[in-house]
Amino acid sequence: MRVLVIGGSGFLGTELIRQAAMAGHATAATYATRPGTTSHATWCSLDLRDPGRVDAVMAEVGADFVVNASSGNADWAVTAQGPVRLAMAAAKYGSRLVHVSSDAVFSGARVHYDESCLPDPVTPYGAAETGILLVHPQAVVARTSLIIGDGGSVHERVVHELAAGTRDGVLFTDDIRCPVHVADLAAALLELAAGDAAGVHHLAGPEPVSRHELGILVARRDGLDASRLPTGLRAHSTLPGALDVRLDSRATQRKLRTSLRGAHQFCTTPA
């Protein structure tokens, strides 16, 4: 099988490439600014805002399935329009597509969300989902949550810097998510890509925790002084987005061989 990872130089993309290569897939990956450091993929530059380049990369790679792990943050052209453009190209060339979405598609008004819940985003993250499934009905939209690794994620770096006193800031006690380990997430995404699933799926851990609770788990795992982690309330900040969003992934988990572990489970061993 030939795999194309969009956003291969990122945190999730790097793990997707590693697992795809280990499974024996011929792997290509894209980057926006510079290629990743792994030699397990053929690298292609790609700007999702450029329709001609999207079409050219899809034609050149000839992927059996594509996993879109890119992130444009608040850039509407990348986060909202780019994935729809990619879905159109995937449909044109007969490639399966798994688009990695986020719990940021929800406002938090109802707290608990399963796959049947419609997006009500307060950021651009929810805009792409409907368009993707309209132009490529066989695509998978995989919503996930806060992605953690064995020391390489943004949240883990923040915990280390706060514990060391080299960073200003706090860990919110009212910002609740269902963290997932990057290795579990990548395995589940590749499993969905290689199968015949379609539509919306949730891929988050089973355990809701606050940013501060997660920080304590990471600190204890890594031998840091968790008492040094400052706390605060996101409700008192100016940051946009929901406070409490808990993805219910049970329906998707029942279809998968991959087990999506909770934070207490994947933070029990040192990095």
Side-chain angles (χ1 to χ4, degrees), residues 1-6 8 12-29 38-42 63 65-67 182-183 185-191 193-194:
M1 300 288 280
R2 187 155 184 81
V3 181
L4 175 61
V5 178
I6 307 296
L12 174 58
T14 299
E15 180 64 17
L16 282 163
I17 292 170
R18 186 188 73 81
Q19 292 195 25
M22 284 184 62
H25 300 306
T27 306
T38 179
S39 60
H40 296 304
T42 301
F65 55 85
V66 180
V67 181
V182 66
L185 176 59
L189 290 168
L190 292 171
E191 188 177 338

Side-chain angles (χ1 to χ4, degrees), residues 48-49 68 70-88 99 101 121 123-133 135:
L48 285 175
R49 297 169 295 185
N68 179 23
S70 64
S71 174
N73 296 318
D75 188 328
W76 180 269
V78 177
T79 302
Q81 296 175 333
V84 177
R85 196 172 288 123
L86 178 65
M88 293 174 65
H99 170 72
S101 188
T123 72
Y125 274 108
E129 293 189 359
T130 300
I132 288 169
L133 295 176
V135 302

